[in-house]
Amino acid sequence: MKKSKKWIALFLAALCTFTPLTAFAADVNIDRKPLQMDVSPTVINGRTMVPMRSIFEGLGAAVEWNSYTRGITAQKEDKTITLYLNEKNAFINGVSHSLDTPAVAVNGRTMVPVRFVAESLDCKVYWDSYNQLVSIFTDNADAAAYAAELQKQQAARKAEEERLAAQRAAQKAEQERLAAQNKNTQTVSKKSTTVYVTPTGKRYHYSGSCNGGTYIASTLEKALARGLTPCRKCVG
């Protein structure tokens, strides 16, 4: 019994360490060209994660994996970047930096946060939520041009969204106006339509001589307010 409880506790602890993955993946470009990867990027806790070797080598850095320390070390010119699997502290030239999402193992691949890696190597990074695209630039001038393009596209999309929202609001207002107009028409019709009733009857009649009875003239509105129903003979 004790052994069974121990295994259950270990299983639950393992479940708690799993990192939640989103159901979608983003694309990654470097200098407007798709980053070549052997597995697709994934989004973990709102951060785009990519295979470590693909991103580092795609940005011109040499990368090594230390299976003993579970550490990733990348070198490019005067920059040395070190990350450790499942550790939220990374190092750039020995200086510690906190990560929102650490490097993780997914389906046998070590995935690293693309923004941290790119910015550590002095690149500019932009996120296009509409196209689910991460764009990395190694050239500042090209990055500035892309930023202007992206801003223009986002402004155009926002203007279109606002136009559609205004159109939907106008359509809703028109529907409400027509519904109110129809309701008013029905109310006027009920007030102006003459029917004939008796003080104790359960029906209202459209003819004052229906069934040879003696009726009092009233309005359809008042008849309905009394809960009266139409005379089948009159309606038929």
Side-chain angles (χ1 to χ4, degrees), residues 18-19 21-22 25 38-44 49 51 85 103-111:
F18 286 167
T19 305
L21 304 182
T22 61
D38 54 355
V39 296
S40 298
T42 190
V43 178
I44 302 176
M49 310 290 286
L85 203 63
V104 294
V106 178
N107 297 328
R109 292 289 188 276
T110 300
M111 311 292 280

Side-chain angles (χ1 to χ4, degrees), residues 1-224:
M1 187 66 178
K2 289 183 178 180
K3 186 176 181 180
S4 176
K5 288 183 178 180
K6 179 180 179 181
W7 280 109
I8 291 173
L10 290 173
F11 176 72
L12 292 175
L15 284 179
C16 293
T17 63
F18 286 167
T19 305
L21 304 182
T22 61
F24 65 91
D27 292 322
V28 179
N29 285 353
I30 296 179
D31 292 330
R32 302 178 186 265
K33 295 179 181 179
L35 175 64
Q36 300 301 314
M37 294 172 279
D38 54 355
V39 296
S40 298
T42 190
V43 178
I44 302 176
N45 297 329
R47 300 296 180 184
T48 300
M49 310 290 286
V50 294
M52 68 167 189
R53 193 166 297 280
S54 297
I55 184 63
F56 278 119
E57 292 182 350
L59 292 173
V63 61
E64 294 182 358
W65 163 253
N66 187 321
S67 59
Y68 180 74
T69 63
R70 299 201 305 174
I72 306 151
T73 301
Q75 181 76 41
K76 182 181 179 181
E77 298 174 356
D78 60 344
K79 287 288 183 73
T80 300
I81 303 167
T82 306
L83 304 90
Y84 295 94
L85 203 63
N86 299 320
E87 292 290 337
K88 284 196 171 184
N89 284 330
F91 299 87
I92 302 174
N93 289 343
V95 179
S96 178
H97 294 263
S98 179
L99 301 175
D100 293 332
T101 302
V104 294
V106 178
N107 297 328
R109 292 289 188 276
T110 300
M111 311 292 280
V112 294
V114 65
R115 179 175 290 276
F116 172 79
V117 169
E119 290 181 346
S120 297
L121 294 173
D122 300 322
C123 298
K124 300 292 184 182
V125 184
Y126 300 93
W127 167 243
D128 181 354
S129 59
Y130 183 81
N131 293 305
Q132 295 293 297
L133 174 66
V134 177
S135 291
I136 302 170
F137 291 90
T138 59
D139 180 78
N140 288 339
D142 196 16
Y146 175 81
E149 293 172 14
L150 183 60
Q151 187 175 25
K152 185 177 179 180
Q153 291 171 5
Q154 291 173 339
R157 284 195 290 265
K158 182 179 179 181
E160 178 64 9
E161 289 171 357
E162 291 174 349
R163 185 190 69 79
L164 292 175
Q167 185 180 65
R168 288 192 294 269
Q171 290 173 344
K172 182 179 179 181
E174 178 64 10
Q175 290 171 352
E176 291 174 347
R177 185 190 69 80
L178 291 175
Q181 184 182 63
N182 185 49
K183 183 177 180 180
N184 290 337
T185 300
Q186 291 176 350
T187 300
V188 170
S189 177
K190 289 176 183 178
K191 288 181 178 179
S192 61
T193 300
T194 300
V195 297
Y196 301 88
V197 300
T198 63
T200 59
K202 295 182 180 180
R203 311 284 182 187
Y204 61 83
H205 308 264
Y206 291 104
S207 170
S209 59
C210 182
N211 294 327
T214 302
Y215 303 105
I216 302 170
S218 181
T219 65
L220 179 58
E221 183 184 39
K222 291 180 179 180
L224 292 174

